[in-house]
Amino acid sequence: MPPPLLQNPIHTLLKPPLLPLLPLLFIFPITSLTSSTTTPPPLSTTLSQWQSARATYYAASDPGNTVGVACGYGDLVKAGYGRGTVGLSESMFERGQICGACFELKCVDDLRWCIPGTAIIVSVTNFCAPNYGFTSDGGGKCNPPNKHFVLPIEAFEKIAIWKAANIPVQYRRFKCRREGGIRFTISGSGIFLSVLISNVAGAGDVTAVKIKGSRTGWLDMGRKWGQNWHVNANLQNQALSFEVTSSDRMTVISYNVAPKDWRFGQAFEGKQFETQMY
């Protein structure tokens, strides 16, 4: 087991205040992505072309990094994300809109440290804050315009030797596979309603949300931060429905997800985006 990292600003993920199943760390030979003549694979599992970036890791001994606070997911282990997660640099984080998206990563161009033929799939759950005490090419690894991934060491060691510390990678957007439906966790008080939307399959990230009470029409919700969405409306004692749109312009509607006697602090499961396309 490698020794824990010394505390370093470039390995510290941003921790603003607070749940979204299935750990999303998949390890597989890259050759497994090729098509089969007997059982064709699902179409459109990738959402972008390969691009270049760099990746580092944080120490497993830091319990704070198991909390997806920048996206609002809370305890990532309890939420089912495990350590198949990643924090993104500012130029990639999109002010939290990309929270929940999945990326495929592979180590490249470093024969000394890369583990050939491997790749991982991770979910965006956190933010790597810039460190303007350093230049972007002199220690400020998460400073703009750098494209940088900060991985749990368990994920990093699947594609590279830990002693490398900082590796060149290629990445691409990948369709997320989730267990169960989209999760809606309700908080707030009075007429202020906040909903954390998590466990989203497909594109994984959410770009628009609407809510409907059993006695109202559809109401637009605004992004509070990460994947927390809010609305000011008296929706108590009404069954709640949700319309969720992802970044690939797909929409799923979950009717009457929460019964009329719902309470703040409860979580409900709705429908899910299709991830199998033939």
Side-chain angles (χ1 to χ4, degrees):
M1 183 68 193
L5 292 176
L6 295 176
Q7 184 64 33
N8 188 312
I10 66 171
H11 291 108
T12 301
L13 302 179
L14 184 64
K15 299 177 182 177
L18 176 76
L19 287 166
L21 267 105
L22 181 67
L24 287 175
L25 176 58
F26 300 109
I27 315 302
F28 48 82
I30 293 175
T31 54
S32 68
L33 296 179
T34 59
S35 60
S36 167
T37 55
T38 56
T39 305
L43 300 177
S44 303
T45 54
T46 59
L47 299 173
S48 70
Q49 299 300 313
W50 289 108
Q51 300 180 61
S52 298
R54 298 195 70 86
T56 51
Y57 63 87
Y58 58 82
S61 60
D62 185 354
N65 288 319
T66 62
V67 179
V69 289
C71 291
Y73 296 140
D75 188 312
L76 297 174
V77 175
K78 290 181 179 179
Y81 285 95
R83 292 196 176 267
T85 60
V86 68
L88 297 184
S89 60
E90 184 172 6
S91 64
M92 301 183 69
F93 192 64
E94 299 176 5
R95 298 186 177 182
Q97 178 176 309
I98 203 167
C99 287
C102 296
F103 286 90
E104 181 182 10
L105 297 179
K106 60 183 179 180
C107 181
V108 296
D109 301 331
D110 196 330
L111 296 178
R112 182 182 181 188
W113 302 118
C114 292
I115 299 176
T118 59
I120 56 175
I121 298 173
V122 289
S123 293
V124 179
T125 59
N126 223 327
F127 172 50
C128 179
N131 184 346
Y132 293 114
F134 298 91
T135 62
S136 59
D137 58 354
K141 294 179 173 58
C142 290
N143 293 2
N146 293 345
K147 294 182 177 181
H148 199 87
F149 294 82
V150 182
L151 298 161
I153 192 169
E154 295 90 340
F156 185 94
E157 288 185 306
K158 301 301 181 182
I159 58 173
I161 307 301
W162 69 271
K163 289 184 179 180
N166 188 336
I167 58 171
V169 295
Q170 285 189 331
Y171 71 94
R172 61 181 176 180
R173 286 285 299 272
F174 204 87
K175 274 197 173 182
C176 303
R177 298 188 180 98
R178 310 291 190 200
E179 184 176 279
I182 297 174
R183 183 179 296 180
F184 304 90
T185 304
I186 303 173
S187 60
S189 62
I191 65 170
F192 178 78
L193 193 79
S194 180
V195 180
L196 169 64
I197 299 178
S198 57
N199 201 51
V200 180
D205 52 344
V206 176
T207 57
V209 180
K210 293 182 180 181
I211 188 171
K212 181 184 181 302
S214 52
R215 299 193 301 271
T216 73
W218 286 103
L219 306 172
D220 290 325
M221 302 190 75
R223 188 188 303 275
K224 188 178 177 184
W225 52 278
Q227 290 301 352
N228 281 280
W229 296 77
H230 66 93
V231 69
N232 288 316
N234 186 359
L235 295 171
Q236 295 189 26
N237 300 312
Q238 299 182 57
L240 302 180
S241 303
F242 294 92
E243 179 185 291
V244 176
T245 301
S246 56
S247 62
D248 58 358
R249 301 180 183 178
M250 302 296 290
T251 295
V252 63
I253 300 177
S254 300
Y255 289 103
N256 301 319
V257 172
K260 66 178 182 179
D261 59 349
W262 63 268
R263 295 290 182 267
F264 292 115
Q266 292 181 314
F268 303 93
E269 189 173 293
K271 291 185 177 181
Q272 186 59 275
F273 288 100
E274 292 288 337
T275 56
Q276 302 296 320
M277 299 175 59
Y278 298 93

